[in-house]
Amino acid sequence: MLINRKFLLTGIALLIILVTACGQSEQSTSIAKPPTQQEVGEVREVNRQTLQPKIVTVTEETRQTYKWYCSQCHGVKGKGDGINAKFLTVPPRNHTKAAYLETRTNEQLFEAIKFGGLSVGRAPCMPAWGHTLAEDTIHSLVRYIRELCHCEAF
Amino acid sequence: MKLLKTLILSGLLLSAPASADVLADKNCGSCHRLKPEEIEKSFTGPDLHYSGNKFQPEWLKQYLINPEVIRPAGFVTDPGFLPKTDLPPHASSSIEDANALTKELMTLKISTPAPVNPEPLSKGLRAKIKYQFERTFGCISCHQSLNLAGKVRGGISGPSLVNAGNRLQAAWVADLLKTPETYIAKSRMPSYKMEPATLEQFTRFLMTLKKENIK
């Protein structure tokens, strides 16, 4: 029963995502809402090893990494206002907003960065950085996002 | 008197080593990297030291005569990717200069990438790769391309790919996707470890993007 519900919900989430390509479409300017956490079932198997909570700190390098790669979409200050933002159907997440980020675990944030938005039931406009950034760097980016939102996962 | 002048002028033209220094004469090196050795220096324009690998000569010549915007946010050097405002249009050259510059630029090479199958992609594969371009890999988040209705859409942090099929050499595109570090010391684009077959299909897909398809 639970399994069935999961399947159904994953299906719904997929449907929502399927109609959402990343480049702004000219026929509809309305912004598709990303599915909420409850709508999303388990989307992929993950190597639990990589998700072990790690003690990492935010260094100057972390900030530079964020600036160099992430600010293209998320903006220099993480407000979701990078130069690509207005061309995307799903807006880049505002990393300073605690209300949403509190609902996401560090593992989910880690996965979103490493495997891309699709892997956590989010939009494909968020690319995968797993071939670009080392895991420790990704862990430190998660910490940095926690700094930006002044929040922790519930 | 006039004859003498013409004689001297044509003598000068002939004796000048045809186009060897035209890039220096036109001061292109003040904004563009023209030699691989200059890797430490930072420039306000994109790298041209591998023009012979990257560009299709016909496009290059037309660009120099009648430049088009390739990077809608400018050539951004700011680490936080702050776009440039008030972009001045690129200087344009006379047909003669454009010919000489193109000839010279096409000699600048740093690699010998393997050729790519020039056959246009089948319709089915095109649809498949278009889907991956927009979703699986999210290329469209940073690059403009054309949608099914022939409209330009996509992000602007990367160079526009709307005219990639006229502008870029397929072999270079494939090599860039495979080993970006050959050309770009520190790219802002994610690395994609694509399967060789996917990589080839992506390259051939990009080659189908041409500005004459804009509607």
Side-chain angles (χ1 to χ4, degrees), chain B residues 141-173:
Chain B
S141 300
C142 303
H143 292 286
Q144 289 182 337
S145 75
L146 290 177
N147 71 359
L148 287 176
K151 295 276 189 310
V152 175
R153 61 173 188 171
I156 58 169
S157 70
S160 168
L161 297 176
V162 165
N163 202 20
N166 290 321
R167 176 170 167 258
L168 304 173
Q169 293 182 32
W172 179 81
V173 171

PDB file of all heavy atoms in Angstrom, chain B residues 141-173:
ATOM      1  N   SER B 141      20.048  25.584 -19.671  1.00  0.00           N
ATOM      2  CA  SER B 141      20.055  26.540 -18.560  1.00  0.00           C
ATOM      3  C   SER B 141      21.097  27.638 -18.771  1.00  0.00           C
ATOM      4  O   SER B 141      20.974  28.720 -18.219  1.00  0.00           O
ATOM      5  CB  SER B 141      20.371  25.846 -17.241  1.00  0.00           C
ATOM      6  OG  SER B 141      19.432  24.869 -16.947  1.00  0.00           O
ATOM      7  N   CYS B 142      22.137  27.337 -19.509  1.00  0.00           N
ATOM      8  CA  CYS B 142      23.240  28.298 -19.682  1.00  0.00           C
ATOM      9  C   CYS B 142      23.469  28.702 -21.131  1.00  0.00           C
ATOM     10  O   CYS B 142      24.286  29.590 -21.398  1.00  0.00           O
ATOM     11  CB  CYS B 142      24.537  27.729 -19.142  1.00  0.00           C
ATOM     12  SG  CYS B 142      24.494  27.225 -17.425  1.00  0.00           S
ATOM     13  N   HIS B 143      22.843  27.990 -22.077  1.00  0.00           N
ATOM     14  CA  HIS B 143      23.105  28.272 -23.491  1.00  0.00           C
ATOM     15  C   HIS B 143      21.802  28.516 -24.244  1.00  0.00           C
ATOM     16  O   HIS B 143      20.858  27.739 -24.109  1.00  0.00           O
ATOM     17  CB  HIS B 143      23.782  27.078 -24.163  1.00  0.00           C
ATOM     18  CG  HIS B 143      25.175  26.813 -23.701  1.00  0.00           C
ATOM     19  ND1 HIS B 143      26.236  27.598 -24.074  1.00  0.00           N
ATOM     20  CD2 HIS B 143      25.691  25.848 -22.905  1.00  0.00           C
ATOM     21  CE1 HIS B 143      27.351  27.112 -23.530  1.00  0.00           C
ATOM     22  NE2 HIS B 143      27.044  26.058 -22.810  1.00  0.00           N
ATOM     23  N   GLN B 144      21.790  29.528 -25.067  1.00  0.00           N
ATOM     24  CA  GLN B 144      20.637  29.711 -25.946  1.00  0.00           C
ATOM     25  C   GLN B 144      20.673  28.686 -27.076  1.00  0.00           C
ATOM     26  O   GLN B 144      21.730  28.389 -27.622  1.00  0.00           O
ATOM     27  CB  GLN B 144      20.671  31.111 -26.577  1.00  0.00           C
ATOM     28  CG  GLN B 144      20.380  32.206 -25.576  1.00  0.00           C
ATOM     29  CD  GLN B 144      20.378  33.573 -26.213  1.00  0.00           C
ATOM     30  OE1 GLN B 144      20.977  33.777 -27.270  1.00  0.00           O
ATOM     31  NE2 GLN B 144      19.726  34.511 -25.566  1.00  0.00           N
ATOM     32  N   SER B 145      19.498  28.151 -27.406  1.00  0.00           N
ATOM     33  CA  SER B 145      19.390  27.321 -28.609  1.00  0.00           C
ATOM     34  C   SER B 145      18.002  27.568 -29.188  1.00  0.00           C
ATOM     35  O   SER B 145      17.334  28.517 -28.785  1.00  0.00           O
ATOM     36  CB  SER B 145      19.621  25.852 -28.271  1.00  0.00           C
ATOM     37  OG  SER B 145      18.504  25.313 -27.622  1.00  0.00           O
ATOM     38  N   LEU B 146      17.585  26.726 -30.127  1.00  0.00           N
ATOM     39  CA  LEU B 146      16.282  26.941 -30.765  1.00  0.00           C
ATOM     40  C   LEU B 146      15.293  25.883 -30.317  1.00  0.00           C
ATOM     41  O   LEU B 146      15.631  24.704 -30.250  1.00  0.00           O
ATOM     42  CB  LEU B 146      16.433  26.858 -32.286  1.00  0.00           C
ATOM     43  CG  LEU B 146      17.198  28.001 -32.941  1.00  0.00           C
ATOM     44  CD1 LEU B 146      17.338  27.759 -34.441  1.00  0.00           C
ATOM     45  CD2 LEU B 146      16.500  29.324 -32.694  1.00  0.00           C
ATOM     46  N   ASN B 147      14.070  26.295 -30.019  1.00  0.00           N
ATOM     47  CA  ASN B 147      13.060  25.294 -29.670  1.00  0.00           C
ATOM     48  C   ASN B 147      12.358  24.813 -30.941  1.00  0.00           C
ATOM     49  O   ASN B 147      12.717  25.209 -32.054  1.00  0.00           O
ATOM     50  CB  ASN B 147      12.072  25.844 -28.638  1.00  0.00           C
ATOM     51  CG  ASN B 147      11.152  26.900 -29.214  1.00  0.00           C
ATOM     52  OD1 ASN B 147      11.254  27.247 -30.389  1.00  0.00           O
ATOM     53  ND2 ASN B 147      10.263  27.406 -28.390  1.00  0.00           N
ATOM     54  N   LEU B 148      11.368  23.937 -30.772  1.00  0.00           N
ATOM     55  CA  LEU B 148      10.711  23.351 -31.936  1.00  0.00           C
ATOM     56  C   LEU B 148      10.056  24.406 -32.818  1.00  0.00           C
ATOM     57  O   LEU B 148       9.947  24.246 -34.026  1.00  0.00           O
ATOM     58  CB  LEU B 148       9.653  22.333 -31.481  1.00  0.00           C
ATOM     59  CG  LEU B 148      10.230  21.021 -30.931  1.00  0.00           C
ATOM     60  CD1 LEU B 148       9.115  20.133 -30.415  1.00  0.00           C
ATOM     61  CD2 LEU B 148      11.047  20.299 -32.005  1.00  0.00           C
ATOM     62  N   ALA B 149       9.622  25.495 -32.205  1.00  0.00           N
ATOM     63  CA  ALA B 149       8.962  26.547 -32.975  1.00  0.00           C
ATOM     64  C   ALA B 149       9.985  27.498 -33.616  1.00  0.00           C
ATOM     65  O   ALA B 149       9.609  28.493 -34.224  1.00  0.00           O
ATOM     66  CB  ALA B 149       8.015  27.317 -32.068  1.00  0.00           C
ATOM     67  N   GLY B 150      11.281  27.180 -33.467  1.00  0.00           N
ATOM     68  CA  GLY B 150      12.295  28.013 -34.081  1.00  0.00           C
ATOM     69  C   GLY B 150      12.554  29.310 -33.321  1.00  0.00           C
ATOM     70  O   GLY B 150      13.060  30.285 -33.867  1.00  0.00           O
ATOM     71  N   LYS B 151      12.201  29.320 -32.032  1.00  0.00           N
ATOM     72  CA  LYS B 151      12.432  30.522 -31.215  1.00  0.00           C
ATOM     73  C   LYS B 151      13.682  30.334 -30.359  1.00  0.00           C
ATOM     74  O   LYS B 151      13.968  29.231 -29.902  1.00  0.00           O
ATOM     75  CB  LYS B 151      11.233  30.758 -30.286  1.00  0.00           C
ATOM     76  CG  LYS B 151       9.934  31.080 -31.016  1.00  0.00           C
ATOM     77  CD  LYS B 151       9.873  32.566 -31.349  1.00  0.00           C
ATOM     78  CE  LYS B 151       8.528  33.017 -31.888  1.00  0.00           C
ATOM     79  NZ  LYS B 151       7.992  32.215 -32.991  1.00  0.00           N
ATOM     80  N   VAL B 152      14.397  31.449 -30.169  1.00  0.00           N
ATOM     81  CA  VAL B 152      15.588  31.404 -29.334  1.00  0.00           C
ATOM     82  C   VAL B 152      15.181  31.303 -27.865  1.00  0.00           C
ATOM     83  O   VAL B 152      14.326  32.049 -27.411  1.00  0.00           O
ATOM     84  CB  VAL B 152      16.423  32.682 -29.524  1.00  0.00           C
ATOM     85  CG1 VAL B 152      17.611  32.693 -28.565  1.00  0.00           C
ATOM     86  CG2 VAL B 152      16.894  32.799 -30.965  1.00  0.00           C
ATOM     87  N   ARG B 153      15.778  30.375 -27.152  1.00  0.00           N
ATOM     88  CA  ARG B 153      15.528  30.345 -25.713  1.00  0.00           C
ATOM     89  C   ARG B 153      16.708  29.721 -24.976  1.00  0.00           C
ATOM     90  O   ARG B 153      17.513  29.006 -25.561  1.00  0.00           O
ATOM     91  CB  ARG B 153      14.236  29.618 -25.385  1.00  0.00           C
ATOM     92  CG  ARG B 153      14.240  28.184 -25.836  1.00  0.00           C
ATOM     93  CD  ARG B 153      13.003  27.513 -25.319  1.00  0.00           C
ATOM     94  NE  ARG B 153      13.032  26.092 -25.566  1.00  0.00           N
ATOM     95  CZ  ARG B 153      12.137  25.272 -25.059  1.00  0.00           C
ATOM     96  NH1 ARG B 153      11.183  25.734 -24.289  1.00  0.00           N
ATOM     97  NH2 ARG B 153      12.208  23.998 -25.306  1.00  0.00           N
ATOM     98  N   GLY B 154      16.794  29.996 -23.685  1.00  0.00           N
ATOM     99  CA  GLY B 154      17.861  29.434 -22.876  1.00  0.00           C
ATOM    100  C   GLY B 154      18.624  30.493 -22.113  1.00  0.00           C
ATOM    101  O   GLY B 154      18.416  31.689 -22.311  1.00  0.00           O
ATOM    102  N   GLY B 155      19.517  30.040 -21.252  1.00  0.00           N
ATOM    103  CA  GLY B 155      20.301  30.930 -20.401  1.00  0.00           C
ATOM    104  C   GLY B 155      21.396  31.654 -21.177  1.00  0.00           C
ATOM    105  O   GLY B 155      21.630  31.375 -22.348  1.00  0.00           O
ATOM    106  N   ILE B 156      22.040  32.592 -20.502  1.00  0.00           N
ATOM    107  CA  ILE B 156      22.995  33.432 -21.225  1.00  0.00           C
ATOM    108  C   ILE B 156      24.396  33.443 -20.595  1.00  0.00           C
ATOM    109  O   ILE B 156      25.239  34.208 -21.010  1.00  0.00           O
ATOM    110  CB  ILE B 156      22.480  34.884 -21.325  1.00  0.00           C
ATOM    111  CG1 ILE B 156      22.216  35.466 -19.931  1.00  0.00           C
ATOM    112  CG2 ILE B 156      21.209  34.949 -22.170  1.00  0.00           C
ATOM    113  CD1 ILE B 156      21.963  36.962 -19.966  1.00  0.00           C
ATOM    114  N   SER B 157      24.647  32.557 -19.625  1.00  0.00           N
ATOM    115  CA  SER B 157      25.995  32.603 -19.051  1.00  0.00           C
ATOM    116  C   SER B 157      27.021  31.938 -19.968  1.00  0.00           C
ATOM    117  O   SER B 157      28.207  32.219 -19.885  1.00  0.00           O
ATOM    118  CB  SER B 157      26.012  31.971 -17.653  1.00  0.00           C
ATOM    119  OG  SER B 157      25.821  30.576 -17.728  1.00  0.00           O
ATOM    120  N   GLY B 158      26.580  31.051 -20.838  1.00  0.00           N
ATOM    121  CA  GLY B 158      27.474  30.441 -21.821  1.00  0.00           C
ATOM    122  C   GLY B 158      27.260  31.090 -23.183  1.00  0.00           C
ATOM    123  O   GLY B 158      26.234  31.739 -23.398  1.00  0.00           O
ATOM    124  N   PRO B 159      28.219  30.906 -24.099  1.00  0.00           N
ATOM    125  CA  PRO B 159      28.041  31.467 -25.451  1.00  0.00           C
ATOM    126  C   PRO B 159      26.779  30.908 -26.106  1.00  0.00           C
ATOM    127  O   PRO B 159      26.420  29.764 -25.871  1.00  0.00           O
ATOM    128  CB  PRO B 159      29.292  30.984 -26.203  1.00  0.00           C
ATOM    129  CG  PRO B 159      30.279  30.592 -25.155  1.00  0.00           C
ATOM    130  CD  PRO B 159      29.489  30.183 -23.956  1.00  0.00           C
ATOM    131  N   SER B 160      26.104  31.719 -26.920  1.00  0.00           N
ATOM    132  CA  SER B 160      24.911  31.251 -27.621  1.00  0.00           C
ATOM    133  C   SER B 160      25.279  30.114 -28.567  1.00  0.00           C
ATOM    134  O   SER B 160      26.303  30.147 -29.242  1.00  0.00           O
ATOM    135  CB  SER B 160      24.304  32.399 -28.429  1.00  0.00           C
ATOM    136  OG  SER B 160      23.332  31.876 -29.305  1.00  0.00           O
ATOM    137  N   LEU B 161      24.443  29.076 -28.599  1.00  0.00           N
ATOM    138  CA  LEU B 161      24.689  27.966 -29.515  1.00  0.00           C
ATOM    139  C   LEU B 161      23.697  27.982 -30.678  1.00  0.00           C
ATOM    140  O   LEU B 161      23.625  27.030 -31.448  1.00  0.00           O
ATOM    141  CB  LEU B 161      24.618  26.632 -28.752  1.00  0.00           C
ATOM    142  CG  LEU B 161      25.692  26.457 -27.649  1.00  0.00           C
ATOM    143  CD1 LEU B 161      25.481  25.156 -26.885  1.00  0.00           C
ATOM    144  CD2 LEU B 161      27.106  26.501 -28.233  1.00  0.00           C
ATOM    145  N   VAL B 162      22.944  29.072 -30.788  1.00  0.00           N
ATOM    146  CA  VAL B 162      21.922  29.184 -31.826  1.00  0.00           C
ATOM    147  C   VAL B 162      22.525  29.024 -33.223  1.00  0.00           C
ATOM    148  O   VAL B 162      21.899  28.495 -34.127  1.00  0.00           O
ATOM    149  CB  VAL B 162      21.200  30.547 -31.697  1.00  0.00           C
ATOM    150  CG1 VAL B 162      20.401  30.863 -32.940  1.00  0.00           C
ATOM    151  CG2 VAL B 162      20.293  30.538 -30.475  1.00  0.00           C
ATOM    152  N   ASN B 163      23.758  29.465 -33.385  1.00  0.00           N
ATOM    153  CA  ASN B 163      24.394  29.401 -34.698  1.00  0.00           C
ATOM    154  C   ASN B 163      25.597  28.458 -34.687  1.00  0.00           C
ATOM    155  O   ASN B 163      26.486  28.551 -35.539  1.00  0.00           O
ATOM    156  CB  ASN B 163      24.818  30.818 -35.108  1.00  0.00           C
ATOM    157  CG  ASN B 163      24.996  30.967 -36.605  1.00  0.00           C
ATOM    158  OD1 ASN B 163      24.464  30.169 -37.388  1.00  0.00           O
ATOM    159  ND2 ASN B 163      25.761  31.960 -37.014  1.00  0.00           N
ATOM    160  N   ALA B 164      25.625  27.539 -33.718  1.00  0.00           N
ATOM    161  CA  ALA B 164      26.797  26.657 -33.556  1.00  0.00           C
ATOM    162  C   ALA B 164      27.140  25.905 -34.839  1.00  0.00           C
ATOM    163  O   ALA B 164      28.316  25.705 -35.158  1.00  0.00           O
ATOM    164  CB  ALA B 164      26.555  25.677 -32.413  1.00  0.00           C
ATOM    165  N   GLY B 165      26.117  25.500 -35.590  1.00  0.00           N
ATOM    166  CA  GLY B 165      26.352  24.696 -36.788  1.00  0.00           C
ATOM    167  C   GLY B 165      27.052  25.448 -37.905  1.00  0.00           C
ATOM    168  O   GLY B 165      27.667  24.844 -38.791  1.00  0.00           O
ATOM    169  N   ASN B 166      26.971  26.762 -37.902  1.00  0.00           N
ATOM    170  CA  ASN B 166      27.702  27.553 -38.887  1.00  0.00           C
ATOM    171  C   ASN B 166      29.029  28.041 -38.329  1.00  0.00           C
ATOM    172  O   ASN B 166      29.936  28.389 -39.071  1.00  0.00           O
ATOM    173  CB  ASN B 166      26.904  28.797 -39.284  1.00  0.00           C
ATOM    174  CG  ASN B 166      25.677  28.459 -40.095  1.00  0.00           C
ATOM    175  OD1 ASN B 166      25.716  27.567 -40.939  1.00  0.00           O
ATOM    176  ND2 ASN B 166      24.571  29.147 -39.820  1.00  0.00           N
ATOM    177  N   ARG B 167      29.102  28.105 -37.003  1.00  0.00           N
ATOM    178  CA  ARG B 167      30.203  28.805 -36.380  1.00  0.00           C
ATOM    179  C   ARG B 167      31.352  27.893 -35.965  1.00  0.00           C
ATOM    180  O   ARG B 167      32.517  28.235 -36.133  1.00  0.00           O
ATOM    181  CB  ARG B 167      29.642  29.539 -35.156  1.00  0.00           C
ATOM    182  CG  ARG B 167      30.612  30.246 -34.315  1.00  0.00           C
ATOM    183  CD  ARG B 167      29.872  31.121 -33.285  1.00  0.00           C
ATOM    184  NE  ARG B 167      30.802  31.574 -32.290  1.00  0.00           N
ATOM    185  CZ  ARG B 167      30.911  31.059 -31.076  1.00  0.00           C
ATOM    186  NH1 ARG B 167      30.100  30.097 -30.682  1.00  0.00           N
ATOM    187  NH2 ARG B 167      31.826  31.511 -30.255  1.00  0.00           N
ATOM    188  N   LEU B 168      31.012  26.733 -35.396  1.00  0.00           N
ATOM    189  CA  LEU B 168      32.031  25.890 -34.771  1.00  0.00           C
ATOM    190  C   LEU B 168      32.379  24.673 -35.621  1.00  0.00           C
ATOM    191  O   LEU B 168      31.544  24.165 -36.365  1.00  0.00           O
ATOM    192  CB  LEU B 168      31.532  25.433 -33.394  1.00  0.00           C
ATOM    193  CG  LEU B 168      31.132  26.551 -32.427  1.00  0.00           C
ATOM    194  CD1 LEU B 168      30.492  25.975 -31.164  1.00  0.00           C
ATOM    195  CD2 LEU B 168      32.330  27.428 -32.078  1.00  0.00           C
ATOM    196  N   GLN B 169      33.619  24.193 -35.452  1.00  0.00           N
ATOM    197  CA  GLN B 169      34.026  22.954 -36.112  1.00  0.00           C
ATOM    198  C   GLN B 169      33.594  21.780 -35.240  1.00  0.00           C
ATOM    199  O   GLN B 169      33.854  21.761 -34.035  1.00  0.00           O
ATOM    200  CB  GLN B 169      35.539  22.917 -36.293  1.00  0.00           C
ATOM    201  CG  GLN B 169      36.074  23.964 -37.264  1.00  0.00           C
ATOM    202  CD  GLN B 169      37.584  23.868 -37.450  1.00  0.00           C
ATOM    203  OE1 GLN B 169      38.163  22.780 -37.377  1.00  0.00           O
ATOM    204  NE2 GLN B 169      38.223  25.010 -37.687  1.00  0.00           N
ATOM    205  N   ALA B 170      32.963  20.796 -35.902  1.00  0.00           N
ATOM    206  CA  ALA B 170      32.436  19.648 -35.151  1.00  0.00           C
ATOM    207  C   ALA B 170      33.535  18.970 -34.333  1.00  0.00           C
ATOM    208  O   ALA B 170      33.336  18.624 -33.162  1.00  0.00           O
ATOM    209  CB  ALA B 170      31.787  18.660 -36.116  1.00  0.00           C
ATOM    210  N   ALA B 171      34.700  18.794 -34.924  1.00  0.00           N
ATOM    211  CA  ALA B 171      35.778  18.087 -34.224  1.00  0.00           C
ATOM    212  C   ALA B 171      36.186  18.829 -32.956  1.00  0.00           C
ATOM    213  O   ALA B 171      36.488  18.225 -31.921  1.00  0.00           O
ATOM    214  CB  ALA B 171      36.987  17.923 -35.144  1.00  0.00           C
ATOM    215  N   TRP B 172      36.150  20.155 -33.028  1.00  0.00           N
ATOM    216  CA  TRP B 172      36.501  20.954 -31.847  1.00  0.00           C
ATOM    217  C   TRP B 172      35.446  20.804 -30.755  1.00  0.00           C
ATOM    218  O   TRP B 172      35.781  20.633 -29.586  1.00  0.00           O
ATOM    219  CB  TRP B 172      36.656  22.432 -32.226  1.00  0.00           C
ATOM    220  CG  TRP B 172      36.992  23.284 -31.045  1.00  0.00           C
ATOM    221  CD1 TRP B 172      38.221  23.442 -30.491  1.00  0.00           C
ATOM    222  CD2 TRP B 172      36.087  24.068 -30.249  1.00  0.00           C
ATOM    223  NE1 TRP B 172      38.135  24.286 -29.398  1.00  0.00           N
ATOM    224  CE2 TRP B 172      36.835  24.682 -29.224  1.00  0.00           C
ATOM    225  CE3 TRP B 172      34.705  24.321 -30.307  1.00  0.00           C
ATOM    226  CZ2 TRP B 172      36.273  25.517 -28.267  1.00  0.00           C
ATOM    227  CZ3 TRP B 172      34.138  25.144 -29.351  1.00  0.00           C
ATOM    228  CH2 TRP B 172      34.920  25.743 -28.344  1.00  0.00           C
ATOM    229  N   VAL B 173      34.176  20.858 -31.145  1.00  0.00           N
ATOM    230  CA  VAL B 173      33.088  20.725 -30.171  1.00  0.00           C
ATOM    231  C   VAL B 173      33.228  19.391 -29.427  1.00  0.00           C
ATOM    232  O   VAL B 173      33.180  19.334 -28.196  1.00  0.00           O
ATOM    233  CB  VAL B 173      31.709  20.814 -30.857  1.00  0.00           C
ATOM    234  CG1 VAL B 173      30.590  20.448 -29.880  1.00  0.00           C
ATOM    235  CG2 VAL B 173      31.486  22.207 -31.422  1.00  0.00           C
TER     236      VAL B 173
END
